[in-house]
Amino acid sequence: MNNTRDQTNIGGDLIINNSNNGTSQTTPTPSIIVCVYVSRSASWFNILKGHIIPDALYNSKARGDEYATTCQPETRERVLRDLTDWAKRGDDQAMCWLYGPAGSGKSTIAHTIAERCEANLGASFFFSRGKGSRSDATGLFATLAYQLATRVPPLQALMERALQNDPLILSQTLGDQFRKLILDPILAIGEPLPTMIIVLDALDECSDEDVLVGVIRLLGNTFAAHRLPFRFLLTSRPEEHIRKTFARPMTRSKTYSLALQDFPAHDDIRAFLQLQFVDILRDHEVYLREVPKPWPSSAVLEELVEKSEGLFIYVSTLVKYV
């Protein structure tokens, strides 16, 4: 009886697997030797890949299945213009906090900015309450680091070196993960890099308030100490623990704050409803041909706009119902 033996050199570039058929033979069966060459650097980078949260990316299939979308044409143009202008600026306000009540359209705006800035998008992470790892910050910096490395190839080798030197990085604090996988590699690149936009949406939907506060403080402290090729767009409800963190002097000095309620949405909501009702009328013409036109009437349309109180979630839910 020959014994089956498997040998794997995990740390090197050569993996050898020795095996036989494990049955009794009068004549010894020669071992089968399979040699597979594996890139050492690729194996380290795959460790990072195993810790990312793909569903948190702005254009993930999971978000698409949840009807995540961009702003409708000719709506939200003023706030989008402000955000685009901020993203292009080279000032010290490297963070932008867009805040507003639930249902006011923050995630849709963040999605739109990510798509419009795709050429300069470094990374995105869209939190979502109750959606497993998307409501947890554990995989935040691994996910950002992986995306950045795909955008800036020199970063990949530097991240791989960091993981080789310290294979336990991904089990360490978020602060250490950020420093070793993102900050140190960026600082180690000797050449200037183009400014990249990083979008973090729905901070209030992170399940651990203390961890979230730590992330915001970490970013504020980092931008106070270093000039980096990043512009961070962060969105949330104005919850007390988030508001207090952005109010810290060091963080406040690096943050451009935008209150969504300063951008009246009634005209945008009216335009949204008009376009949606036109589509409904066209798609169901057979059933609605006897309905008096215009449909709905101007009076009904204005009543719906007023009832929305500026919340897009109201009218989007209404349209789905209709």
Side-chain angles (χ1 to χ4, degrees), residues 71-254:
C71 297
Q72 192 160 299
E74 299 182 9
T75 65
R76 297 298 201 175
E77 286 301 324
R78 187 177 153 217
V79 65
L80 290 171
R81 185 167 54 249
D82 270 22
L83 290 170
T84 303
D85 290 345
W86 161 81
K88 294 178 180 177
R89 293 204 303 258
D91 59 19
D92 288 338
Q93 291 183 313
M95 300 162 62
C96 176
W97 179 36
L98 175 69
Y99 60 92
S104 56
K106 301 179 298 296
S107 292
T108 302
I109 291 170
H111 189 122
T112 304
I113 290 295
E115 185 170 286
R116 288 190 179 185
C117 297
E118 174 64 28
N120 299 315
L121 184 68
S124 64
F125 195 104
F126 280 58
F127 288 97
S128 186
R129 183 177 288 108
K131 297 294 174 61
S133 53
R134 289 164 60 192
S135 64
D136 188 345
T138 302
L140 172 62
F141 288 131
T143 304
L144 298 185
Y146 190 85
Q147 293 175 80
L148 288 169
T150 63
R151 293 284 187 172
V152 186
L155 283 177
Q156 182 173 334
L158 293 166
M159 291 179 190
E160 288 160 353
R161 188 181 307 161
L163 287 165
Q164 285 177 314
N165 292 338
D166 187 354
L168 296 179
I169 288 176
L170 294 166
S171 299
Q172 295 170 4
T173 66
L174 287 179
D176 282 345
Q177 290 182 40
F178 175 77
R179 177 172 58 82
K180 296 176 182 180
L181 291 176
I182 297 178
L183 179 59
D184 289 349
I186 283 288
L187 295 177
I189 294 180
E191 60 191 59
L193 293 174
T195 300
M196 291 172 281
I197 310 301
I198 297 178
V199 180
L200 305 184
D201 178 64
L203 301 181
D204 54 284
E205 299 198 19
C206 176
S207 58
D208 192 322
E209 291 184 5
D210 292 337
V211 170
L212 175 64
V213 166
V215 168
I216 299 171
R217 292 179 65 140
L218 172 65
L219 294 177
N221 293 342
T222 299
F223 284 117
H226 304 281
R227 192 170 184 87
L228 302 173
F230 298 141
R231 308 285 280 181
F232 271 80
L233 170 61
L234 308 105
T235 77
S236 76
R237 302 177 192 178
E239 295 187 354
E240 187 67 9
H241 65 288
I242 299 176
R243 187 192 62 76
K244 285 183 176 179
T245 307
F246 276 109
R248 292 177 62 246
M250 189 173 293
T251 305
R252 186 175 64 241
S253 67
K254 301 299 176 184

Side-chain angles (χ1 to χ4, degrees), residues 310-322:
L311 298 179
F312 268 84
I313 194 170
Y314 175 89
V315 290
S316 62
T317 302
L318 170 69
V319 167
K320 289 175 185 176
Y321 175 77
V322 173

